[in-house]
Amino acid sequence: MTQTARLPEERPPPGRRAALRSRRWLLWVALLLLVGALLGALMFLAAAYEEGRDQADLERDTEALASDIRSALFRNVQTLQSLHSVAPTPDSWFAGAAEVLQRHREMVRLEWRDPSRRLISARDSGYVGDLFGSMSRAQSLVQMRQACDTAQRLSGPAFSPSYFWPMGDGTGFELMDMCLPVARAGQSSGFLVVTYSLPAVLAELTDRERLRGRSLAFAEPDGTRLAVHGTIVDQRRLQRASSLLDLPGHTLMLRLEGPRNVGSGFLGLFPNLLSAVVGTLSLALLAVLILLGRDMRKRQQVEHELAGALAFRQAMENSLITGLRARDMQGRITYVNPAFCQMVGYPADQLLGHDAPFPWWPTELAEEYGQRQAVRLAGQVLPREGYESVFQRSDGTRFPVLVIEAPLLDAQGVQTGFMGAILDLTEQRRVEELNRASQERLQATARLATVGEMASLLSHELNQPLAAISSYATGSLNLLQDPGPLPQGDIRQAMQRIAEQADRAGRVIKSVADFVRRRQQVREPVGPGDLIEAISPLLSLQAKKLNIALQVRIAPACPAVVCDRTMVEQVLLNLARNGMQAMPLGEPPLASGQRVLSIDVGPMVRPPVEAGARDWVEFAVTDHGQGLSEEVEQKLFTPFFTTKSEGMGLGLSLCRTVIEQHGGTLAHEPALPRGTVFRFRLPVA
Ligand code: ADP
């Protein structure tokens, strides 16, 4: 069978379904892992980026702090040189030194030494306690000398290495000496030695803003911290940066530590804002993925249901025996079902997209069909009950069809074409033909039955003319044998009678022959008189045998009727014969003394409400026999029902069929004073 649309895929077997499901799960797991890895990588990169940025900030700040300290130390050099701008006396120097120490907390001691490093005057800072209480200044002279040697060599300020100076209470701090050669009028006036406290240098010479939340330290190259300023609460996550503080005579390492930037701390998971944003976006992506997955599952389910519905529709279409065909507004074929393909004998792919003239149009009718289609497409008036047509199969054979077309509407209710259902009428026509043939055979049988009956009447009736012919012939012979002159007149008369009787016999035989002969059904206008005239010899035969008077009354100017003459004659004959047989010889006659069968014909009086309806002529056959018993009346029209020994029981059923085929009705009612009237009507010509 031709497939007109692709069948939905068959449901896979259970094993394959399970494999498909586990593959889908694997895909999901892989996707989730991938998204997780992406999320991790993004967070790691974001954290690394931010950490790098913080580190760079820290390093920049360390450089800036180192340069701050160096420039402050060099500014101090100028301040100190001002002490010697005018030739100081030890006393005046002492007062100046006090003032300097007052302003510079980072300095713990100022000394004025002569060119051979001997102390001329010295002043301690008031901010630190008794510095040389527990250990004498002599303990650090090595560093001072080293610095002054360098200073002399450089002719400028020089710094000594730092050294730890213990305090009496068990604490202590790191100190560093700076030696500055002082000269006046080109003459060296000795050295100015400043002792710096390293913790104070860190505290006093740096920018407080830069140090907020951080800790700054001078450190040894091995990491040992010499002096620290500032503390950090959380020691776990620290960032470090170092910078060298290059001073004449000594180099110090400056180290800045700061806490790592722990952003807003989203549950501590995200180290910074960027990571938080990336994380949130990734979570959103994951949520979207999950929603998408759910949507996909729903879609799959709907698709599955749709496939089921489609398969059902397909199965329905395939099992239909009615041909289905859809056409678009231009008359092109857009769909055909297997039944239609089978009907016309063409595969679907040859029909789809085909335009008029279609391959199933018989060649000689193609033009007529084309016009019909054009009218239908233009007017769009489609008869609901459909129309009959003839199609041609691919092998050239023709077959009758019933086509029912309806507009094809889309989901919006807009017409997109025409849907046609095509019924093959071949079988129906065959059954109709069979029916007609059997009907005809039935009629023939009934006629033959009548003829059988007539045969006995014929023999009786033919006896008369034959006997007459025989006696006329004998008389004539006798006359011819007589000697003497020929009585020509008598002989001619006898011959004439012979001819008349032979003619009469011939007519009787012919009327029977006419009646029996099968004829094609032809409707023609016939006068009621002619109908009765045709059967009158047969009627008279029977009437004479039964000694019944025949009374025929035809209304004056009665119109002709349209009918199949032979069949209506048969009906009249049947009804008249039944009537006569209902009045057997022994029956008591009517008051008139004569048994009468009457046939009345006249136009029907039409009631005014039926204006416009057709006109009819009514025939009534009335007998005055025994009438119909209730039992007989019930079975009257049942084929083969008869009360007569020689009857066939087909007469009345045949009569009714014939009259109904003419559009009339056969009815009966009791006659007055007794007997039965059978009436039927035929359309006026
Ligand atoms: P048949 O004449 O061969 O019996 P019909 O079909 O003509 O077959 O009639 C069936 C039966 O109806 C008859 O046998 C008869 O009993 C009854 N019948 C028909 N016409 C009349 C009539 N005019 N009066 C009484 N009985 C009748």
Side-chain angles (χ1 to χ4, degrees):
M1 181 173 286
T2 332
Q3 294 299 328
T4 52
R6 208 169 64 81
L7 264 178
E9 271 174 35
E10 298 248 316
R11 259 175 92 82
R16 194 162 138 60
R17 273 212 304 274
L20 276 178
R21 205 174 307 135
S22 69
R23 207 176 69 186
R24 206 160 53 227
W25 272 112
L26 266 176
L27 276 175
W28 270 109
V29 168
L31 186 68
L32 285 178
L33 283 177
L34 218 67
V35 170
L38 184 75
L39 196 145
L42 272 175
M43 286 196 2
F44 173 77
L45 286 177
Y49 166 75
E50 295 220 341
E51 201 177 316
R53 201 190 55 193
D54 289 352
Q55 182 70 35
D57 281 353
L58 204 67
E59 274 165 15
R60 206 174 47 243
D61 283 352
T62 316
E63 295 290 342
L65 284 167
S67 116
D68 281 356
I69 293 174
R70 194 191 294 103
S71 40
L73 288 176
F74 284 111
R75 265 199 313 278
N76 283 355
V77 169
Q78 286 164 11
T79 313
L80 293 169
Q81 273 170 342
S82 67
L83 275 180
H84 287 265
S85 52
V86 284
T89 63
D91 282 344
S92 71
W93 182 92
F94 192 78
E99 200 184 319
V100 170
L101 286 172
Q102 173 91 37
R103 275 190 281 122
H104 295 275
R105 282 174 172 240
E106 67 276 14
M107 302 177 189
V108 292
R109 183 184 171 86
L110 277 177
E111 291 174 349
W112 180 18
R113 289 179 183 263
D114 66 8
S116 51
R117 286 58 162 175
R118 270 194 305 273
L119 188 68
I120 300 172
S121 185
R123 171 85 201 198
D124 284 339
S125 166
Y127 297 115
V128 210
D130 187 9
L131 195 59
F132 301 100
S134 63
M135 212 163 84
S136 105
R137 168 69 175 149
Q139 296 290 322
S140 61
L141 289 182
V142 188
Q143 279 83 3
M144 182 275 291
R145 286 218 167 86
Q146 195 183 334
C148 286
D149 289 348
T150 318
Q152 193 169 24
R153 208 170 49 246
L154 296 176
S155 313
F159 290 79
S160 74
S162 66
Y163 51 92
F164 185 73
W165 196 257
M167 294 291 283
D169 55 2
T171 60
F173 43 87
E174 200 79 6
L175 298 179
M176 182 176 70
D177 288 342
M178 185 198 80
C179 187
L180 174 72
V182 280
R184 209 160 40 76
Q187 201 69 46
S188 166
S189 58
F191 296 93
L192 196 67
V193 179
V194 192
T195 305
Y196 279 108
S197 151
L198 288 190
V201 165
L202 291 178
E204 299 300 321
L205 304 186
T206 52
D207 180 3
R208 256 169 242 279
E209 266 314 300
R210 259 197 242 284
L211 281 181
R212 189 186 292 269
R214 292 166 167 178
S215 123
L216 184 66
F218 284 119
E220 298 271 17
D222 65 358
T224 318
R225 290 196 287 189
L226 304 172
V228 185
H229 174 70
T231 48
I232 300 170
V233 191
D234 186 6
Q235 292 284 329
R236 281 172 305 160
R237 304 165 63 83
L238 285 180
Q239 271 183 317
R240 279 188 195 91
S242 327
S243 173
L244 289 178
L245 177 60
D246 198 9
L247 297 171
H250 187 58
T251 300
L252 279 169
M253 172 135 69
L254 196 65
R255 202 163 79 185
L256 184 63
E257 288 184 345
R260 225 173 252 177
N261 195 357
V262 186
S264 48
F266 182 74
L267 291 176
L269 273 176
F270 301 107
N272 48 48
L273 188 69
L274 188 62
S275 310
V277 169
V278 168
T280 316
L281 284 181
S282 305
L283 283 179
L285 180 73
L286 205 70
V288 167
L289 269 178
I290 288 172
L291 286 180
L292 216 66
R294 211 179 274 176
D295 183 62
M296 224 155 75
R297 227 188 15 247
K298 242 184 234 164
R299 251 163 222 275
Q300 262 175 354
Q301 201 177 336
V302 171
E303 244 172 48
H304 193 76
E305 280 166 15
L306 212 67
L310 204 71
F312 176 67
R313 204 194 79 168
Q314 194 73 44
M316 232 164 56
E317 281 171 11
N318 290 349
S319 60
L320 268 184
I321 51 161
T322 310
L324 293 179
R325 161 199 79 179
R327 291 189 288 184
D328 62 14
M329 297 303 281
Q330 284 74 46
R332 266 191 307 272
I333 297 291
T334 52
Y335 168 81
V336 283
N337 75 338
F340 185 79
C341 295
Q342 215 177 19
M343 217 180 263
V344 295
Y346 290 99
D349 48 356
Q350 261 188 44
L351 298 180
L352 290 176
H354 208 294
D355 215 343
F358 298 110
W360 60 80
W361 285 2
T363 342
E364 72 280 6
L365 294 173
E367 199 175 324
E368 183 193 327
Y369 282 16
Q371 283 166 2
R372 193 171 65 186
Q373 167 160 324
V375 168
R376 203 162 292 134
L377 290 181
Q380 297 179 10
V381 270
L382 305 165
R384 274 196 75 79
E385 66 284 357
Y387 56 91
E388 288 194 12
S389 186
V390 174
F391 282 7
Q392 177 178 289
R393 294 193 187 89
S394 55
D395 62 7
T397 51
R398 313 285 161 91
F399 62 104
V401 288
L402 176 69
V403 184
I404 302 166
E405 287 222 286
L408 194 64
L409 305 179
D410 66 5
Q412 280 74 44
V414 179
Q415 184 176 357
T416 57
F418 302 87
M419 188 75 204
I422 292 99
L423 278 173
D424 187 344
L425 297 182
T426 312
E427 183 60 15
Q428 194 179 325
R429 284 289 144 81
R430 199 179 64 79
V431 171
E432 275 173 15
E433 179 56 32
L434 267 181
N435 273 347
R436 203 187 57 74
S438 67
Q439 191 76 38
E440 218 160 71
R441 271 202 301 279
L442 189 71
Q443 286 171 4
T445 313
R447 267 204 296 270
L448 282 176
T450 316
V451 170
E453 222 173 295
M454 295 293 164
S456 62
L457 288 174
L458 261 183
S459 60
H460 172 260
E461 182 64 8
L462 286 179
N463 264 345
Q464 260 189 354
L466 287 179
I469 288 169
S470 162
S471 61
Y472 283 128
T474 316
S476 303
L477 279 176
N478 287 342
L479 283 177
L480 285 174
Q481 278 168 6
D482 276 353
L486 265 179
Q488 284 202 357
D490 289 350
I491 290 177
R492 186 177 293 117
Q493 199 179 9
M495 287 300 163
Q496 222 159 8
R497 292 280 144 78
I498 287 172
E500 278 169 17
Q501 289 303 319
D503 206 35
R504 186 178 150 207
R507 272 207 310 277
V508 170
I509 290 168
K510 183 171 181 292
S511 69
V512 174
D514 274 354
F515 182 75
V516 175
R517 197 176 301 133
R518 265 168 179 255
R519 265 201 323 117
Q520 282 291 316
Q521 234 192 24
V522 214
R523 298 272 161 99
E524 54 188 333
V526 197
D530 295 343
L531 282 173
I532 293 168
E533 183 68 27
I535 54 166
S536 69
L538 297 172
L539 284 179
S540 320
L541 270 175
Q542 188 137 23
K544 201 183 259 178
K545 184 185 170 195
L546 295 170
N547 192 22
I548 289 172
L550 207 59
Q551 195 178 63
V552 177
R553 283 177 297 219
I554 300 177
C558 179
V561 290
V562 185
C563 64
D564 178 343
R565 191 183 180 133
T566 319
M567 296 314 295
V568 175
E569 283 169 14
Q570 164 91 52
V571 171
L572 276 171
L573 190 66
N574 267 351
L575 294 179
R577 199 191 60 206
N578 276 352
M580 285 192 258
Q581 283 170 346
M583 297 183 284
L585 270 172
E587 282 284 300
L590 289 175
S592 62
Q594 177 72 47
R595 289 174 302 137
V596 182
L597 181 96
S598 17
I599 301 178
D600 296 278
V601 188
M604 267 179 90
V605 185
R606 197 177 60 195
V609 278
E610 276 188 38
R614 63 202 304 192
D615 289 314
W616 301 91
V617 170
E618 190 181 61
F619 292 74
V621 180
T622 315
D623 70 76
H624 299 289
Q626 76 269 43
L628 300 171
S629 71
E630 202 173 315
E631 190 208 339
V632 171
E633 198 175 352
Q634 270 174 12
K635 299 183 180 169
L636 207 56
F637 296 106
T638 315
F640 303 110
F641 168 75
T642 180
T643 56
K644 301 166 198 166
S645 55
E646 78 287 10
M648 283 281 286
L650 287 171
L652 283 179
S653 80
L654 177 76
C655 289
R656 189 166 66 172
T657 312
V658 169
I659 296 304
E660 283 172 359
Q661 273 174 0
H662 284 78
T665 45
L666 177 63
H668 62 274
E669 60 192 89
L672 284 175
R674 61 175 196 185
T676 320
V677 191
F678 279 87
R679 293 175 197 282
F680 65 88
R681 57 181 192 177
L682 291 174
V684 167

